[in-house]
Amino acid sequence: MIINILAGGPEELLPDLTAYQEDDAIWVGVDRGVFHLINRNITPAKAFGDFDSVNKEELSIIEHQVAGIKKYKPEKDETDLELALNWALAQKPKTVRLFGATGGRLDHLLANVQLLLSPIKENNPANVYMIDQKNIVFIKEPGHYTIEKMASKKYISFVPLTLDVTDLTLEGFKFPLKNRHIYLGSTLCISNELIDVYGTFSFSKGILIVIRSND
């Protein structure tokens, strides 16, 4: 199962959503993201939010077209996107994609990046990706991983999310590494590139943010 969640970030940063409309994909809207989906002729199965970013007319359209609406008060402990992601992870999907989660307020962006930790905290095997026009972002725990070259996302960066990441090894990259210890705040692994169709990365301790991007 794939669950696609569209939050209310700037529309100009959204990728082409038609590329993610697999037959088994379930769409979920978050706050103004629900309205963005409807405008793209995608009816979400669920909608989450306090809906403070839509007007009365837009809310009426949402209420008429979406059956599974979860409304919340603005004063709450979780963000709207966090509530939607928690629901999505409880469905035990293989993949969750977050759209409309970048741009706009920096505090929202940083909070959304940290939401990528949710499967790790809950010991949930789902893969969660944050996607916009220029970036695909995901988080990995220690292990050994294979990564495939993407013409549309030339650059690959590895950013520590913990104080340090131990034994980082990159193979098949323009700038390879062997058992390197990198620290929070390091820019050593920014803007690397794959030289082969496939490459690998591995590390033994810490948590890494992996960012695939294009100019």
Side-chain angles (χ1 to χ4, degrees):
M1 181 197 307
I2 299 171
I3 298 179
N4 295 325
I5 302 176
L6 179 59
E11 284 192 272
E12 61 269 20
L13 296 182
L14 294 178
D16 178 9
L17 297 183
T18 60
Y20 302 94
Q21 288 184 261
E22 298 94 339
D23 290 340
D24 62 341
I26 297 171
W27 286 89
V28 174
V30 176
D31 213 85
R32 187 163 186 81
V34 186
F35 193 67
H36 292 335
L37 284 176
I38 291 172
N39 280 341
R40 287 167 170 76
N41 296 314
I42 301 172
T43 302
K46 294 284 183 179
F48 294 82
D50 51 35
F51 298 100
D52 61 353
S53 62
V54 296
N55 60 39
K56 290 183 178 179
E57 181 181 351
E58 292 165 340
L59 181 57
S60 177
I61 293 171
I62 290 170
E63 290 174 335
H64 278 86
Q65 295 199 31
V66 183
I69 299 179
K70 298 282 188 179
K71 288 185 180 179
Y72 300 88
K73 294 181 179 179
E75 300 81 13
K76 55 188 181 301
D77 293 336
E78 302 89 355
T79 64
D80 294 335
L81 181 56
E82 184 176 4
L83 291 166
L85 179 57
N86 289 343
W87 174 87
L89 291 174
Q91 311 313 303
K92 305 299 181 184
K94 177 183 178 182
T95 299
V96 179
R97 303 181 184 123
L98 307 179
F99 304 98
T102 61
R105 286 172 51 176
L106 185 56
D107 56 341
H108 286 177
L109 173 61
L110 292 175
N112 293 342
V113 169
Q114 291 184 83
L115 285 181
L116 298 176
L117 283 166
S118 297
I120 294 175
K121 293 189 295 185
E122 298 178 14
N123 196 28
N124 188 311
N127 296 302
V128 181
Y129 302 92
M130 188 164 66
I131 303 171
D132 63 19
Q133 275 191 358
K134 292 184 175 294
N135 306 282
I136 299 173
V137 185
F138 55 96
I139 284 177
K140 287 298 183 183
E141 294 182 279
H144 186 279
Y145 304 96
T146 299
I147 190 165
E148 184 176 5
K149 181 181 284 189
M150 294 175 61
S152 62
K153 298 289 182 289
K154 177 181 178 180
Y155 302 108
I156 305 176
S157 298
F158 300 92
V159 180
L161 190 57
T162 47
L163 286 176
D164 52 12
V165 170
T166 303
D167 298 325
L168 179 61
T169 296
L170 307 178
E171 296 180 339
F173 285 82
K174 182 177 180 179
F175 306 107
L177 287 179
K178 181 69 173 180
N179 296 332
R180 191 67 177 263
H181 193 162
I182 61 173
Y183 298 89
L184 186 65
S186 170
T187 59
L188 174 66
C189 298
I190 300 299
S191 296
N192 211 330
E193 301 174 39
L194 285 169
I195 57 175
D196 299 320
V197 176
Y198 292 93
T200 63
F201 66 96
S202 61
F203 58 106
S204 62
K205 179 184 175 183
I207 297 176
L208 271 180
I209 305 173
V210 183
I211 306 170
R212 309 200 66 165
S213 55
N214 61 282
D215 288 323

Short mmCIF file of all heavy atoms in Angstrom, two decimals, residues 3-15 17 26-38 40 44 46-49 51-54 62 79-85 96-104 108-109 111-113 115 129-132:
data_model
loop_
_atom_site.label_atom_id
_atom_site.label_comp_id
_atom_site.label_asym_id
_atom_site.label_seq_id
_atom_site.Cartn_x
_atom_site.Cartn_y
_atom_site.Cartn_z
N ILE A 3 0.59 5.46 0.52
CA ILE A 3 -0.25 6.57 0.95
C ILE A 3 0.46 7.87 0.60
O ILE A 3 1.61 8.10 1.01
CB ILE A 3 -0.53 6.50 2.47
CG1 ILE A 3 -1.30 5.21 2.80
CG2 ILE A 3 -1.35 7.72 2.90
CD1 ILE A 3 -1.62 5.04 4.27
N ASN A 4 -0.19 8.70 -0.18
CA ASN A 4 0.32 10.01 -0.56
C ASN A 4 -0.40 11.08 0.25
O ASN A 4 -1.63 11.13 0.24
CB ASN A 4 0.07 10.26 -2.05
CG ASN A 4 0.86 9.32 -2.94
OD1 ASN A 4 1.98 8.93 -2.63
ND2 ASN A 4 0.27 8.95 -4.07
N ILE A 5 0.36 11.92 0.91
CA ILE A 5 -0.20 12.97 1.76
C ILE A 5 0.20 14.33 1.19
O ILE A 5 1.39 14.61 1.03
CB ILE A 5 0.29 12.85 3.21
CG1 ILE A 5 -0.07 11.48 3.80
CG2 ILE A 5 -0.30 13.97 4.07
CD1 ILE A 5 0.47 11.26 5.21
N LEU A 6 -0.79 15.16 0.91
CA LEU A 6 -0.52 16.50 0.42
C LEU A 6 -0.84 17.52 1.49
O LEU A 6 -1.99 17.67 1.90
CB LEU A 6 -1.33 16.80 -0.84
CG LEU A 6 -1.14 18.21 -1.44
CD1 LEU A 6 0.31 18.46 -1.80
CD2 LEU A 6 -2.04 18.42 -2.64
N ALA A 7 0.19 18.21 1.96
CA ALA A 7 0.02 19.28 2.93
C ALA A 7 -0.20 20.60 2.20
O ALA A 7 -0.30 20.64 0.97
CB ALA A 7 1.24 19.35 3.85
N GLY A 8 -0.25 21.68 2.94
CA GLY A 8 -0.66 22.96 2.36
C GLY A 8 0.47 23.88 1.97
O GLY A 8 0.27 25.10 1.90
N GLY A 9 1.66 23.34 1.68
CA GLY A 9 2.78 24.17 1.27
C GLY A 9 2.54 24.84 -0.07
O GLY A 9 1.57 24.53 -0.78
N PRO A 10 3.43 25.74 -0.48
CA PRO A 10 3.25 26.49 -1.73
C PRO A 10 3.06 25.58 -2.94
O PRO A 10 3.83 24.64 -3.15
CB PRO A 10 4.55 27.30 -1.85
CG PRO A 10 5.04 27.43 -0.44
CD PRO A 10 4.66 26.16 0.24
N GLU A 11 2.04 25.85 -3.73
CA GLU A 11 1.74 25.01 -4.89
C GLU A 11 2.87 25.00 -5.91
O GLU A 11 3.08 24.00 -6.60
CB GLU A 11 0.45 25.48 -5.56
CG GLU A 11 -0.82 25.10 -4.84
CD GLU A 11 -2.04 25.34 -5.71
OE1 GLU A 11 -2.57 26.46 -5.66
OE2 GLU A 11 -2.45 24.41 -6.42
N GLU A 12 3.59 26.11 -6.02
CA GLU A 12 4.64 26.19 -7.03
C GLU A 12 5.80 25.23 -6.76
O GLU A 12 6.62 24.98 -7.64
CB GLU A 12 5.17 27.62 -7.17
CG GLU A 12 5.80 28.20 -5.91
CD GLU A 12 4.81 28.94 -5.03
OE1 GLU A 12 3.59 28.72 -5.17
OE2 GLU A 12 5.28 29.76 -4.21
N LEU A 13 5.87 24.69 -5.56
CA LEU A 13 6.94 23.74 -5.23
C LEU A 13 6.51 22.29 -5.41
O LEU A 13 7.33 21.39 -5.24
CB LEU A 13 7.41 23.96 -3.78
CG LEU A 13 8.05 25.31 -3.47
CD1 LEU A 13 8.50 25.36 -2.02
CD2 LEU A 13 9.23 25.58 -4.39
N LEU A 14 5.25 22.07 -5.75
CA LEU A 14 4.77 20.70 -5.89
C LEU A 14 5.31 20.07 -7.17
O LEU A 14 5.39 20.72 -8.21
CB LEU A 14 3.25 20.67 -5.93
CG LEU A 14 2.51 21.09 -4.66
CD1 LEU A 14 1.00 21.04 -4.91
CD2 LEU A 14 2.88 20.19 -3.49
N PRO A 15 5.65 18.78 -7.13
CA PRO A 15 5.98 18.06 -8.36
C PRO A 15 4.70 17.75 -9.12
O PRO A 15 3.59 18.06 -8.66
CB PRO A 15 6.64 16.78 -7.84
CG PRO A 15 5.95 16.53 -6.53
CD PRO A 15 5.69 17.91 -5.95
N LEU A 17 1.92 15.68 -9.66
CA LEU A 17 1.31 14.64 -8.84
C LEU A 17 0.79 13.47 -9.66
O LEU A 17 0.61 12.37 -9.13
CB LEU A 17 0.18 15.22 -8.00
CG LEU A 17 0.58 16.30 -6.97
CD1 LEU A 17 -0.63 16.74 -6.17
CD2 LEU A 17 1.69 15.81 -6.05
N ILE A 26 -3.36 5.62 -2.00
CA ILE A 26 -4.42 6.31 -1.26
C ILE A 26 -3.98 7.75 -1.03
O ILE A 26 -2.87 8.00 -0.56
CB ILE A 26 -4.68 5.62 0.09
CG1 ILE A 26 -5.20 4.18 -0.13
CG2 ILE A 26 -5.68 6.42 0.93
CD1 ILE A 26 -5.28 3.37 1.13
N TRP A 27 -4.86 8.69 -1.37
CA TRP A 27 -4.52 10.10 -1.20
C TRP A 27 -5.15 10.67 0.06
O TRP A 27 -6.30 10.38 0.39
CB TRP A 27 -4.98 10.91 -2.41
CG TRP A 27 -4.11 10.69 -3.61
CD1 TRP A 27 -4.28 9.72 -4.57
CD2 TRP A 27 -2.95 11.42 -3.97
NE1 TRP A 27 -3.27 9.81 -5.50
CE2 TRP A 27 -2.44 10.85 -5.17
CE3 TRP A 27 -2.28 12.51 -3.42
CZ2 TRP A 27 -1.30 11.32 -5.80
CZ3 TRP A 27 -1.14 12.98 -4.05
CH2 TRP A 27 -0.66 12.40 -5.23
N VAL A 28 -4.37 11.48 0.75
CA VAL A 28 -4.80 12.13 1.98
C VAL A 28 -4.46 13.62 1.86
O VAL A 28 -3.35 13.98 1.43
CB VAL A 28 -4.08 11.53 3.21
CG1 VAL A 28 -4.43 12.31 4.47
CG2 VAL A 28 -4.44 10.06 3.37
N GLY A 29 -5.40 14.47 2.23
CA GLY A 29 -5.15 15.91 2.22
C GLY A 29 -5.01 16.46 3.62
O GLY A 29 -5.64 15.97 4.56
N VAL A 30 -4.18 17.48 3.74
CA VAL A 30 -3.95 18.14 5.03
C VAL A 30 -4.25 19.62 4.87
O VAL A 30 -3.60 20.31 4.07
CB VAL A 30 -2.51 17.93 5.53
CG1 VAL A 30 -2.27 18.72 6.82
CG2 VAL A 30 -2.22 16.45 5.73
N ASP A 31 -5.25 20.08 5.58
CA ASP A 31 -5.64 21.49 5.59
C ASP A 31 -5.81 22.00 4.15
O ASP A 31 -6.57 21.40 3.39
CB ASP A 31 -4.63 22.32 6.38
CG ASP A 31 -5.29 23.49 7.08
OD1 ASP A 31 -5.82 23.30 8.19
OD2 ASP A 31 -5.29 24.60 6.51
N ARG A 32 -5.10 23.02 3.74
CA ARG A 32 -5.30 23.55 2.38
C ARG A 32 -4.90 22.54 1.31
O ARG A 32 -5.34 22.63 0.16
CB ARG A 32 -4.55 24.87 2.20
CG ARG A 32 -4.88 25.53 0.88
CD ARG A 32 -4.50 27.00 0.82
NE ARG A 32 -5.00 27.58 -0.44
CZ ARG A 32 -6.24 27.98 -0.64
NH1 ARG A 32 -7.12 27.89 0.33
NH2 ARG A 32 -6.61 28.47 -1.81
N GLY A 33 -4.08 21.58 1.67
CA GLY A 33 -3.70 20.55 0.73
C GLY A 33 -4.90 19.76 0.21
O GLY A 33 -4.87 19.23 -0.90
N VAL A 34 -5.96 19.68 1.01
CA VAL A 34 -7.19 19.00 0.56
C VAL A 34 -7.77 19.73 -0.65
O VAL A 34 -8.14 19.12 -1.65
CB VAL A 34 -8.24 18.94 1.69
CG1 VAL A 34 -9.44 18.12 1.26
CG2 VAL A 34 -7.64 18.38 2.97
N PHE A 35 -7.80 21.04 -0.56
CA PHE A 35 -8.34 21.84 -1.66
C PHE A 35 -7.46 21.74 -2.89
O PHE A 35 -7.96 21.69 -4.02
CB PHE A 35 -8.48 23.30 -1.20
CG PHE A 35 -9.29 24.15 -2.12
CD1 PHE A 35 -10.65 23.93 -2.29
CD2 PHE A 35 -8.70 25.18 -2.84
CE1 PHE A 35 -11.41 24.73 -3.14
CE2 PHE A 35 -9.44 25.96 -3.70
CZ PHE A 35 -10.80 25.74 -3.85
N HIS A 36 -6.12 21.71 -2.69
CA HIS A 36 -5.21 21.54 -3.83
C HIS A 36 -5.47 20.22 -4.55
O HIS A 36 -5.42 20.15 -5.78
CB HIS A 36 -3.76 21.57 -3.35
CG HIS A 36 -3.31 22.90 -2.83
ND1 HIS A 36 -3.89 24.08 -3.21
CD2 HIS A 36 -2.31 23.24 -1.95
CE1 HIS A 36 -3.28 25.09 -2.61
NE2 HIS A 36 -2.33 24.61 -1.84
N LEU A 37 -5.74 19.16 -3.81
CA LEU A 37 -6.03 17.86 -4.43
C LEU A 37 -7.32 17.92 -5.25
O LEU A 37 -7.36 17.44 -6.38
CB LEU A 37 -6.14 16.77 -3.36
CG LEU A 37 -4.84 16.26 -2.74
CD1 LEU A 37 -5.14 15.26 -1.62
CD2 LEU A 37 -3.95 15.60 -3.80
N ILE A 38 -8.34 18.50 -4.66
CA ILE A 38 -9.63 18.59 -5.36
C ILE A 38 -9.47 19.38 -6.66
O ILE A 38 -10.04 19.02 -7.70
CB ILE A 38 -10.69 19.24 -4.44
CG1 ILE A 38 -11.03 18.29 -3.29
CG2 ILE A 38 -11.94 19.60 -5.23
CD1 ILE A 38 -11.91 18.90 -2.22
N ARG A 40 -7.02 19.38 -8.50
CA ARG A 40 -6.31 18.51 -9.45
C ARG A 40 -7.12 17.25 -9.77
O ARG A 40 -6.57 16.27 -10.26
CB ARG A 40 -4.94 18.13 -8.87
CG ARG A 40 -3.95 19.29 -8.89
CD ARG A 40 -2.72 19.00 -8.03
NE ARG A 40 -1.69 19.99 -8.23
CZ ARG A 40 -1.72 21.22 -7.72
NH1 ARG A 40 -2.75 21.60 -6.98
NH2 ARG A 40 -0.73 22.07 -7.96
N PRO A 44 -9.39 12.98 -2.13
CA PRO A 44 -8.70 12.27 -1.05
C PRO A 44 -9.64 11.37 -0.26
O PRO A 44 -10.82 11.70 -0.07
CB PRO A 44 -8.14 13.39 -0.18
CG PRO A 44 -9.02 14.57 -0.46
CD PRO A 44 -9.47 14.43 -1.88
N LYS A 46 -9.07 10.67 2.88
CA LYS A 46 -9.09 11.27 4.21
C LYS A 46 -8.62 12.72 4.13
O LYS A 46 -7.84 13.09 3.25
CB LYS A 46 -8.16 10.50 5.17
CG LYS A 46 -8.59 9.07 5.47
CD LYS A 46 -9.75 9.04 6.44
CE LYS A 46 -10.13 7.61 6.81
NZ LYS A 46 -11.24 7.56 7.78
N ALA A 47 -9.08 13.51 5.08
CA ALA A 47 -8.66 14.90 5.19
C ALA A 47 -8.44 15.23 6.66
O ALA A 47 -9.27 14.88 7.50
CB ALA A 47 -9.71 15.83 4.59
N PHE A 48 -7.33 15.88 6.96
CA PHE A 48 -6.97 16.22 8.33
C PHE A 48 -6.67 17.70 8.42
O PHE A 48 -6.08 18.29 7.51
CB PHE A 48 -5.72 15.44 8.76
CG PHE A 48 -5.92 13.95 8.87
CD1 PHE A 48 -5.84 13.15 7.74
CD2 PHE A 48 -6.16 13.35 10.10
CE1 PHE A 48 -6.01 11.77 7.83
CE2 PHE A 48 -6.34 11.97 10.19
CZ PHE A 48 -6.26 11.18 9.06
N GLY A 49 -7.06 18.31 9.55
CA GLY A 49 -6.64 19.69 9.76
C GLY A 49 -7.62 20.50 10.58
O GLY A 49 -8.73 20.06 10.87
N PHE A 51 -8.20 23.47 9.28
CA PHE A 51 -8.75 24.17 8.12
C PHE A 51 -8.82 25.68 8.32
O PHE A 51 -9.73 26.35 7.84
CB PHE A 51 -10.12 23.59 7.75
CG PHE A 51 -10.03 22.14 7.35
CD1 PHE A 51 -10.37 21.14 8.27
CD2 PHE A 51 -9.57 21.76 6.10
CE1 PHE A 51 -10.26 19.80 7.92
CE2 PHE A 51 -9.46 20.43 5.76
CZ PHE A 51 -9.80 19.44 6.66
N ASP A 52 -7.80 26.20 9.00
CA ASP A 52 -7.71 27.65 9.18
C ASP A 52 -7.08 28.34 7.97
O ASP A 52 -7.01 29.56 7.91
CB ASP A 52 -6.94 27.99 10.45
CG ASP A 52 -5.51 27.47 10.44
OD1 ASP A 52 -5.13 26.72 9.50
OD2 ASP A 52 -4.75 27.79 11.38
N SER A 53 -6.63 27.55 6.98
CA SER A 53 -6.00 28.13 5.80
C SER A 53 -6.92 28.11 4.58
O SER A 53 -6.47 28.39 3.47
CB SER A 53 -4.69 27.39 5.48
OG SER A 53 -4.94 26.03 5.19
N VAL A 54 -8.18 27.76 4.78
CA VAL A 54 -9.15 27.82 3.68
C VAL A 54 -10.30 28.74 4.09
O VAL A 54 -10.58 28.90 5.29
CB VAL A 54 -9.71 26.41 3.32
CG1 VAL A 54 -8.60 25.51 2.79
CG2 VAL A 54 -10.40 25.76 4.52
N ILE A 62 -14.79 21.24 0.23
CA ILE A 62 -14.11 20.10 0.85
C ILE A 62 -15.11 19.19 1.53
O ILE A 62 -15.10 17.96 1.37
CB ILE A 62 -13.04 20.60 1.84
CG1 ILE A 62 -11.88 21.25 1.09
CG2 ILE A 62 -12.54 19.45 2.72
CD1 ILE A 62 -10.89 21.98 1.99
N THR A 79 0.97 18.87 14.86
CA THR A 79 0.64 19.62 13.65
C THR A 79 -0.37 18.80 12.84
O THR A 79 -0.52 17.59 13.03
CB THR A 79 1.88 19.89 12.80
OG1 THR A 79 2.41 18.64 12.33
CG2 THR A 79 2.95 20.63 13.60
N ASP A 80 -1.03 19.47 11.90
CA ASP A 80 -1.99 18.77 11.04
C ASP A 80 -1.30 17.65 10.25
O ASP A 80 -1.85 16.55 10.11
CB ASP A 80 -2.64 19.75 10.07
CG ASP A 80 -3.51 20.78 10.77
OD1 ASP A 80 -3.99 20.48 11.88
OD2 ASP A 80 -3.71 21.87 10.21
N LEU A 81 -0.11 17.93 9.74
CA LEU A 81 0.61 16.91 8.98
C LEU A 81 1.01 15.74 9.85
O LEU A 81 0.96 14.58 9.42
CB LEU A 81 1.85 17.53 8.32
CG LEU A 81 2.69 16.58 7.45
CD1 LEU A 81 1.84 15.94 6.37
CD2 LEU A 81 3.88 17.32 6.85
N GLU A 82 1.38 16.01 11.09
CA GLU A 82 1.74 14.92 12.00
C GLU A 82 0.53 14.01 12.26
O GLU A 82 0.67 12.78 12.29
CB GLU A 82 2.25 15.49 13.32
CG GLU A 82 2.74 14.42 14.30
CD GLU A 82 3.33 15.01 15.56
OE1 GLU A 82 3.30 16.25 15.71
OE2 GLU A 82 3.83 14.25 16.40
N LEU A 83 -0.64 14.60 12.42
CA LEU A 83 -1.84 13.79 12.63
C LEU A 83 -2.12 12.90 11.43
O LEU A 83 -2.47 11.73 11.56
CB LEU A 83 -3.04 14.71 12.90
CG LEU A 83 -3.02 15.47 14.23
CD1 LEU A 83 -4.05 16.59 14.22
CD2 LEU A 83 -3.28 14.52 15.39
N ALA A 84 -1.95 13.46 10.24
CA ALA A 84 -2.17 12.67 9.02
C ALA A 84 -1.13 11.57 8.88
O ALA A 84 -1.47 10.43 8.51
CB ALA A 84 -2.13 13.59 7.80
N LEU A 85 0.10 11.87 9.19
CA LEU A 85 1.16 10.85 9.09
C LEU A 85 0.95 9.75 10.12
O LEU A 85 1.14 8.56 9.81
CB LEU A 85 2.53 11.50 9.27
CG LEU A 85 3.73 10.55 9.21
CD1 LEU A 85 3.78 9.78 7.90
CD2 LEU A 85 5.03 11.31 9.43
N VAL A 96 5.03 5.92 2.36
CA VAL A 96 4.28 7.15 2.56
C VAL A 96 5.06 8.28 1.90
O VAL A 96 6.26 8.43 2.13
CB VAL A 96 4.07 7.47 4.06
CG1 VAL A 96 3.29 8.78 4.21
CG2 VAL A 96 3.36 6.34 4.78
N ARG A 97 4.37 9.05 1.08
CA ARG A 97 5.01 10.20 0.44
C ARG A 97 4.36 11.47 0.96
O ARG A 97 3.14 11.58 1.00
CB ARG A 97 4.85 10.14 -1.07
CG ARG A 97 5.40 8.87 -1.73
CD ARG A 97 5.18 8.98 -3.23
NE ARG A 97 5.59 7.78 -3.95
CZ ARG A 97 4.77 7.09 -4.74
NH1 ARG A 97 3.49 7.46 -4.88
NH2 ARG A 97 5.21 6.03 -5.39
N LEU A 98 5.19 12.43 1.34
CA LEU A 98 4.70 13.72 1.84
C LEU A 98 4.97 14.79 0.79
O LEU A 98 6.13 15.02 0.41
CB LEU A 98 5.41 14.09 3.15
CG LEU A 98 5.40 13.05 4.27
CD1 LEU A 98 6.17 13.58 5.47
CD2 LEU A 98 3.97 12.68 4.66
N PHE A 99 3.92 15.43 0.32
CA PHE A 99 4.03 16.54 -0.62
C PHE A 99 3.54 17.82 0.05
O PHE A 99 2.78 17.77 1.01
CB PHE A 99 3.18 16.27 -1.87
CG PHE A 99 3.49 14.98 -2.57
CD1 PHE A 99 2.71 13.85 -2.34
CD2 PHE A 99 4.54 14.89 -3.46
CE1 PHE A 99 2.97 12.65 -3.00
CE2 PHE A 99 4.82 13.70 -4.12
CZ PHE A 99 4.04 12.58 -3.89
N GLY A 100 3.95 18.95 -0.47
CA GLY A 100 3.50 20.22 0.10
C GLY A 100 4.01 20.47 1.50
O GLY A 100 3.41 21.21 2.26
N ALA A 101 5.14 19.84 1.82
CA ALA A 101 5.70 19.95 3.18
C ALA A 101 6.93 20.83 3.23
O ALA A 101 7.58 20.94 4.27
CB ALA A 101 6.04 18.55 3.71
N THR A 102 7.28 21.47 2.11
CA THR A 102 8.45 22.35 2.06
C THR A 102 8.03 23.74 1.62
O THR A 102 6.93 23.94 1.10
CB THR A 102 9.50 21.80 1.08
OG1 THR A 102 8.93 21.73 -0.24
CG2 THR A 102 9.97 20.41 1.48
N GLY A 103 8.92 24.70 1.80
CA GLY A 103 8.62 26.07 1.42
C GLY A 103 7.86 26.78 2.51
O GLY A 103 7.38 26.17 3.47
N GLY A 104 7.72 28.07 2.36
CA GLY A 104 7.00 28.82 3.38
C GLY A 104 7.81 28.97 4.66
O GLY A 104 9.02 29.21 4.64
N HIS A 108 8.06 25.28 10.07
CA HIS A 108 7.28 24.18 9.53
C HIS A 108 8.17 23.19 8.79
O HIS A 108 8.01 21.97 8.93
CB HIS A 108 6.20 24.71 8.58
CG HIS A 108 5.07 25.38 9.28
ND1 HIS A 108 4.02 25.98 8.60
CD2 HIS A 108 4.79 25.55 10.60
CE1 HIS A 108 3.15 26.49 9.47
NE2 HIS A 108 3.61 26.24 10.69
N LEU A 109 9.11 23.69 8.02
CA LEU A 109 10.01 22.81 7.28
C LEU A 109 10.82 21.93 8.23
O LEU A 109 10.92 20.72 8.03
CB LEU A 109 10.95 23.63 6.39
CG LEU A 109 12.06 22.84 5.69
CD1 LEU A 109 11.47 21.79 4.77
CD2 LEU A 109 12.98 23.77 4.93
N ALA A 111 10.16 21.12 11.31
CA ALA A 111 9.27 20.17 11.97
C ALA A 111 8.93 19.02 11.04
O ALA A 111 8.90 17.85 11.46
CB ALA A 111 8.00 20.88 12.43
N ASN A 112 8.70 19.32 9.76
CA ASN A 112 8.34 18.27 8.81
C ASN A 112 9.49 17.32 8.54
O ASN A 112 9.28 16.12 8.37
CB ASN A 112 7.84 18.91 7.51
CG ASN A 112 6.53 19.65 7.69
OD1 ASN A 112 5.81 19.43 8.66
ND2 ASN A 112 6.22 20.54 6.76
N VAL A 113 10.72 17.85 8.49
CA VAL A 113 11.88 16.97 8.32
C VAL A 113 11.97 16.00 9.50
O VAL A 113 12.23 14.80 9.33
CB VAL A 113 13.17 17.79 8.19
CG1 VAL A 113 14.41 16.88 8.29
CG2 VAL A 113 13.20 18.55 6.86
N LEU A 115 9.55 14.89 11.20
CA LEU A 115 8.49 13.89 11.11
C LEU A 115 8.97 12.64 10.38
O LEU A 115 8.39 11.56 10.56
CB LEU A 115 7.27 14.47 10.39
CG LEU A 115 6.40 15.46 11.16
CD1 LEU A 115 5.23 15.91 10.29
CD2 LEU A 115 5.89 14.84 12.46
N TYR A 129 8.92 9.42 2.53
CA TYR A 129 9.67 10.35 1.69
C TYR A 129 8.98 11.71 1.69
O TYR A 129 7.75 11.78 1.61
CB TYR A 129 9.75 9.85 0.25
CG TYR A 129 10.38 8.49 0.09
CD1 TYR A 129 9.59 7.34 0.09
CD2 TYR A 129 11.75 8.35 -0.06
CE1 TYR A 129 10.16 6.08 -0.06
CE2 TYR A 129 12.34 7.10 -0.21
CZ TYR A 129 11.54 5.97 -0.20
OH TYR A 129 12.10 4.73 -0.34
N MET A 130 9.77 12.77 1.73
CA MET A 130 9.27 14.13 1.56
C MET A 130 9.72 14.60 0.18
O MET A 130 10.92 14.60 -0.12
CB MET A 130 9.80 15.05 2.65
CG MET A 130 9.19 16.43 2.66
SD MET A 130 9.50 17.33 4.22
CE MET A 130 11.27 17.53 4.14
N ILE A 131 8.77 15.00 -0.67
CA ILE A 131 9.05 15.24 -2.08
C ILE A 131 8.53 16.60 -2.51
O ILE A 131 7.39 16.97 -2.21
CB ILE A 131 8.40 14.14 -2.95
CG1 ILE A 131 8.88 12.75 -2.53
CG2 ILE A 131 8.68 14.38 -4.43
CD1 ILE A 131 8.14 11.60 -3.19
N ASP A 132 9.37 17.35 -3.22
CA ASP A 132 8.90 18.55 -3.92
C ASP A 132 9.53 18.57 -5.31
O ASP A 132 10.08 17.56 -5.77
CB ASP A 132 9.17 19.83 -3.12
CG ASP A 132 10.65 20.13 -2.89
OD1 ASP A 132 11.50 19.58 -3.62
OD2 ASP A 132 10.96 20.91 -1.97
#
